[in-house]
Amino acid sequence: MDKYIDKVEKSMKLTEVIKELRELNKSVEHNGMMLNTPTLDIEECCFLSALECFQTMVPQLKARQKKIQQKVVRNLKSKLLRSVVSCNREEGKNKACQGCDSYPLKDSREFVKQLESLLQKALNRLV
């Protein structure tokens, strides 16, 4: 029963973050700003490093709704969201994941789209 509740809680949190990200996207001035954007073909154990990259880049978006922007950043840092990763700590240590600055530069529109896709991918794994 605990595992089921845990999955439901994680799914609800991911759904909430995706909803907030969509709300944030509506307030972003997409003016060609380029941001390092993790790709979707990252390995399971590199999900966290990709998430951290997105989290450090989100504050650079030119958003009119700063409160939603801060909430998205806070939620990307949440332990619950980070617990979606299914590889163990040892596997994670041995995996050489890309650094944030090595990901390709994409415009802000594509950046938000990729972040949403990554979160959706995590959500799909739970369901």
Side-chain angles (χ1 to χ4, degrees), residues 18-30 58 61-70 72-73 112 115:
I18 290 169
K19 190 175 144 203
E20 289 167 356
L21 182 64
R22 288 177 181 160
E23 193 63 34
L24 173 64
N25 193 32
K26 291 177 192 171
S27 86
V28 171
E29 296 171 31
H30 294 291
V58 167
L61 292 170
K62 290 190 182 353
R64 292 182 296 280
Q65 294 185 21
K66 296 293 181 193
K67 280 192 174 178
I68 291 179
Q69 188 172 20
Q70 290 165 349
V72 168
V73 171
V112 173
L115 174 52

Side-chain angles (χ1 to χ4, degrees), residues 63-105:
R64 292 182 296 280
Q65 294 185 21
K66 296 293 181 193
K67 280 192 174 178
I68 291 179
Q69 188 172 20
Q70 290 165 349
K71 197 171 184 182
V72 168
V73 171
R74 195 169 44 251
N75 281 330
L76 290 176
K77 288 181 183 178
S78 83
K79 284 187 173 124
L80 187 68
L81 196 60
R82 292 167 178 276
S83 67
V84 172
V85 179
S86 65
C87 74
N88 65 42
R89 193 178 293 267
E90 204 52 47
E91 286 176 309
K93 281 182 185 174
N94 296 332
K95 191 54 89 183
C97 301
Q98 278 184 258
C100 193
D101 57 352
S102 69
Y103 286 114
L105 288 171

Side-chain angles (χ1 to χ4, degrees), residues 4-126:
Y4 175 75
I5 291 170
D6 191 41
K7 271 189 170 187
V8 169
E9 197 177 332
K10 287 176 186 178
S11 294
M12 287 172 57
K13 186 65 171 179
L14 276 166
T15 303
E16 179 189 329
V17 176
I18 290 169
K19 190 175 144 203
E20 289 167 356
L21 182 64
R22 288 177 181 160
E23 193 63 34
L24 173 64
N25 193 32
K26 291 177 192 171
S27 86
V28 171
E29 296 171 31
H30 294 291
N31 57 3
M33 173 184 256
M34 303 297 276
L35 301 160
N36 292 95
T37 306
T39 54
L40 292 180
D41 61 351
I42 57 165
E43 292 184 44
E44 177 73 24
C45 288
C46 292
F47 176 80
L48 272 185
S49 71
L51 199 60
E52 286 167 2
C53 181
F54 277 116
Q55 179 235 309
T56 58
M57 291 289 159
V58 167
Q60 294 181 35
L61 292 170
K62 290 190 182 353
R64 292 182 296 280
Q65 294 185 21
K66 296 293 181 193
K67 280 192 174 178
I68 291 179
Q69 188 172 20
Q70 290 165 349
K71 197 171 184 182
V72 168
V73 171
R74 195 169 44 251
N75 281 330
L76 290 176
K77 288 181 183 178
S78 83
K79 284 187 173 124
L80 187 68
L81 196 60
R82 292 167 178 276
S83 67
V84 172
V85 179
S86 65
C87 74
N88 65 42
R89 193 178 293 267
E90 204 52 47
E91 286 176 309
K93 281 182 185 174
N94 296 332
K95 191 54 89 183
C97 301
Q98 278 184 258
C100 193
D101 57 352
S102 69
Y103 286 114
L105 288 171
K106 304 267 177 126
D107 69 20
S108 57
R109 230 179 270 280
E110 186 63 25
F111 172 85
V112 173
K113 196 169 123 184
Q114 290 284 90
L115 174 52
E116 184 179 338
S117 295
L118 185 72
L119 295 172
Q120 195 66 54
K121 193 174 173 182
L123 181 61
N124 293 343
R125 268 193 233 126
L126 289 174

